[in-house]
Each structure stands twice: as structure tokens, then as C-alpha cells.
Amino acid sequence: MRNLPGLFLFVVLLVSVSRGYEYQCEPGTDPTVCSLWNFQNSKKNTQSSVKMPSSVKKVRLNMEQDYYERHLGINVYDSVLHLTILHNPTSVQIESNHISDLYMPTDLQMGEFKRCSISDVHIDSSLSYSVTYLSLQDNSITDISNFSALVKLQTLNLEGNMIRKVDGKIFAGMHNLSTLYLGDNSIKQLDFKVFPKALVNLWLGQNQLSTINFVNVSLPILTVLDLEGNLLGTIDLAGLGTAVPELRFLLIALNPFNQSEARSITTDLKRRNVSSSLWLMEPNCEEYMFKVSNVCFIKPEAIVEGTNFVEQSIGKALVLLVLAAILLMVFTASLRWIWHQMRN
């Protein structure tokens, strides 16, 4: 009988854990915004709940970096989390988490899932989606073929993923898409004819494009085209002028042009009143570069079999570090041997 109070307390604690933790919105935010700190809804704790006013339409899930190192916040963003736990918000912002799968909510209007380790985005082509702004920057996405169902998109950010191929059918129905970020991927070929005519900004920097064909391309209101850090040896400016008549910025730095080609292109761009860089200050070019008209270009000889000078330098640095570690180990072993001999 004396153990009954302890047993009762244990049962109460067990029930409270099984029900999960009820999160509160951080006070002081806008009545339509709920900010949650270190929110968890992993496989080990699927009963989390959120107490929020009915007026909330936007949810921000913030993760403290030190806390994030020790705990998984969210494994999967699915209908249970979106509808049941977060109460069907129209806007969601999540950054730096461990989400492997994102099941796109049909009524979500603004989604920002940056640095969340997302590899799969589940989109049902038979459903209608409301999203107009979607940022999936710095994830692990390789396949975007099912994105074609997101026809209401106005801004799509896919920078910093692992995309190698872009199917032309993806953008066929995105008639309102005005800003597209595809930079920092591994894209080697692109058919510019597939892009929507509503595009105003197209960011393709840090890919592996070696040629671009502007024949039969029509992007009538495109004003910014980013081609920095690709493998282009030249650009068909005559074809570009016809295809993109309103172009104001053509970013071409860090491509392996030879110096005469770089001077010819930058001179022609100035004549067309098109800026070749967004830099307001003069950039400092590295030793494997040369500068023309305030733009740094990669020396063609620094490109060896698709590997640029930077990657080679990093590889050499790693080799040197390994050699230094081996020498340190040998030196330490020698000191220990000498000390052992002296003691004997």
C-alpha cells in the first residue's frame, strides 16, 4: 500500500509522455503568425500538439543549432503534421532540420524548407495545388519531374540540390512562374525553349553548362540571366538578343572564356546596355583567373577534364594534409621509441 503513491505518479508521467508535448506559440508575434522553437515531431514522438489561436495562418519552426545537433526535430512533413498538429497553415517556414520526405499540402500557399535534408518531394499529379512560392534551397533533391503539377508557382527556388536533368515538361503549365533558381546543381544541358514566357529572373549559376542554344527561344520579359560559374567558352549574343530582348543583366563571371572572347563579349554587352556583373566594387580575382571589365573569368588552362583549378587545389590540399598527418604519426612513434630506448 505504501508504494501506491509512487505507482500513481509513474502512471501519470507515462500517460503525459505518451500524449506528447503541447507546444505554445512564442508570445509577441503577429496574431496570424505562430513561431515554435525547437519543435519535435519525430518517429519517437508522434503525439506532439500545438496550441495556437484560430487566427494563425503562418507557422515558423525554428531550430537552435546546438539543440539541432543533439535532437531530430522532424523526420517527415506529411498531412498529419500539416493538418492535425499545425492546424493547416497557408504559410510554412522550416530551416535546418532532418526532413527526408516532404508531402506537399494542396492548400499551402507559401513554403520555405531550407537546409532540411529533403530528398523526396511527393506531389500527386491528380491533385490541384495552391502554392505560389516554394523554396527548397540546399536540400538533396535529384528528381523534380513531378513538379509539373505546381502550376500556380510564381517563385521556385531549387538552388543547392543534386539535380542533373531538367525535363522540358516540368514548366509547361507554369504560366505565372517569374523567378526560377536552379543554381548550384549539376545540370549539364538545358533546353531554353521549355522555360515559361513569364520568366523575369533565371538563375543558373554554378552548374556544368558548356553550350546554350537560343534558336527558337522566346523569353520576352526576362531581365536577369545568371550563367556564372559554368563551363561556357562563348555565348551567342546575337541569338540571345533575339530570344531575350529585355535582358538587362547577363552574369557571366567564372566561365572559362579566353581573354579575347571575354573582351569581345563584355564590349558587346556594354553596347547593348546589358551589365555583365552585379558587383558594385571591383572584385579580386584569384591566381587562376583573369579580369576583364570588372569581371573575373577562369583561365581555360585551369579547366582539366571537367575539373577546375579550385577542385584541383582542394584535392592537393587534402593530399598534403594526409601526408602531414602521416609524418606527424611517424615523428610521434619515433619519439616514443627513443624514449623507450633511453628508459631501458
Side-chain angles (χ1 to χ4, degrees):
M1 296 294 291
R2 288 180 298 178
N3 293 330
L4 283 178
L7 180 61
F8 176 75
L9 179 60
F10 173 76
V11 172
V12 171
L13 289 173
L14 183 62
V15 171
S16 64
V17 170
S18 66
R19 289 181 177 176
Y21 182 76
E22 183 178 67
Y23 289 84
Q24 305 281 341
C25 301
E26 288 194 328
T29 56
D30 188 275
T32 63
V33 179
C34 180
S35 183
L36 301 172
W37 196 254
N38 290 334
F39 176 82
Q40 288 192 82
N41 192 67
S42 63
K43 294 178 181 178
K44 295 181 180 180
N45 180 18
T46 58
Q47 300 299 316
S48 299
S49 61
V50 178
K51 184 178 181 180
M52 64 173 68
S54 58
S55 60
V56 168
K57 299 298 180 183
K58 302 177 183 179
V59 174
R60 297 188 187 129
L61 305 184
N62 305 306
M63 186 65 64
E64 183 182 351
Q65 190 62 33
D66 292 338
Y67 189 89
Y68 165 64
E69 295 291 340
R70 300 192 301 272
H71 299 276
L72 287 176
I74 305 171
N75 299 118
V76 175
Y77 193 95
D78 56 11
S79 59
V80 174
L81 176 57
H82 183 78
L83 296 173
T84 306
I85 299 175
L86 299 181
H87 307 288
N88 200 29
T90 58
S91 175
V92 174
Q93 291 177 277
I94 306 176
E95 186 172 347
S96 299
N97 222 296
H98 275 179
I99 303 173
S100 59
D101 292 78
L102 167 63
Y103 290 83
M104 184 63 60
T106 56
D107 53 358
L108 184 70
Q109 295 177 18
M110 195 286 285
E112 191 171 275
F113 304 88
K114 293 182 179 179
R115 290 180 286 279
C116 287
S117 304
I118 297 171
S119 57
D120 293 297
V121 181
H122 301 269
I123 301 170
D124 189 338
S125 60
S126 65
L127 299 178
S128 177
Y129 293 87
S130 302
V131 63
T132 58
Y133 177 96
L134 180 61
S135 177
L136 295 165
Q137 183 179 348
D138 296 327
N139 282 284
S140 302
I141 299 168
T142 58
D143 185 8
I144 59 172
S145 57
N146 58 350
F147 279 54
S148 57
L150 308 180
V151 295
K152 294 184 180 180
L153 277 174
Q154 297 177 29
T155 295
L156 176 59
N157 190 339
L158 291 167
E159 279 197 346
N161 279 278
M162 303 168 66
I163 301 167
R164 293 179 177 273
K165 183 179 180 181
V166 178
D167 192 321
K169 298 178 182 178
I170 295 173
F171 307 107
M174 297 184 188
H175 304 300
N176 296 317
L177 187 66
S178 63
T179 299
L180 176 60
Y181 297 89
L182 286 172
D184 196 13
N185 280 282
S186 301
I187 302 171
K188 294 184 178 181
Q189 292 183 332
L190 266 179
D191 184 357
F192 274 58
K193 294 192 294 292
V194 307
F195 291 125
K197 296 183 183 298
L199 272 182
V200 177
N201 303 287
L202 178 57
W203 304 86
L204 300 170
Q206 307 304 318
N207 277 288
Q208 299 175 22
L209 298 171
S210 57
T211 58
I212 298 177
N213 187 352
F214 293 109
V215 177
N216 296 325
V217 173
S218 178
L219 296 170
I221 60 175
L222 187 72
T223 58
V224 177
L225 176 58
D226 174 26
L227 297 174
E228 287 189 351
N230 278 278
L231 299 174
L232 297 169
T234 187
I235 296 177
D236 176 15
L237 292 184
L240 177 65
T242 302
V244 192
E246 296 300 317
L247 191 66
R248 293 294 173 264
F249 292 92
L250 177 64
L251 311 184
I252 55 174
L254 306 181
N255 277 285
F257 296 161
N258 61 50
Q259 295 198 30
S260 60
E261 186 70 8
R263 282 192 292 269
S264 174
I265 289 175
T266 53
T267 300
D268 200 351
L269 288 176
K270 286 181 180 178
R271 183 180 60 81
R272 298 169 185 264
N273 199 27
V274 176
S275 298
S276 55
S277 174
L278 291 175
W279 286 94
L280 297 179
M281 300 177 62
E282 186 172 345
N284 293 319
C285 301
E286 301 292 342
E287 60 177 300
Y288 55 90
M289 304 176 185
F290 65 91
K291 187 189 300 183
V292 174
S293 298
N294 215 33
V295 179
C296 295
F297 295 95
I298 303 286
K299 296 177 181 177
E301 58 268 25
I303 305 294
V304 180
E305 296 181 357
T307 302
N308 64 35
F309 185 86
V310 179
E311 293 168 336
Q312 295 178 52
S313 300
I314 292 174
K316 291 178 181 178
L318 289 174
V319 172
L320 291 175
L321 285 174
V322 171
L323 290 175
I326 293 172
L327 289 174
L328 181 60
M329 291 171 62
V330 172
F331 179 72
T332 304
S334 300
L335 286 179
R336 288 180 176 176
W337 182 84
I338 294 171
W339 175 253
H340 179 74
Q341 294 296 322
M342 292 177 64
R343 290 185 62 185
N344 293 334

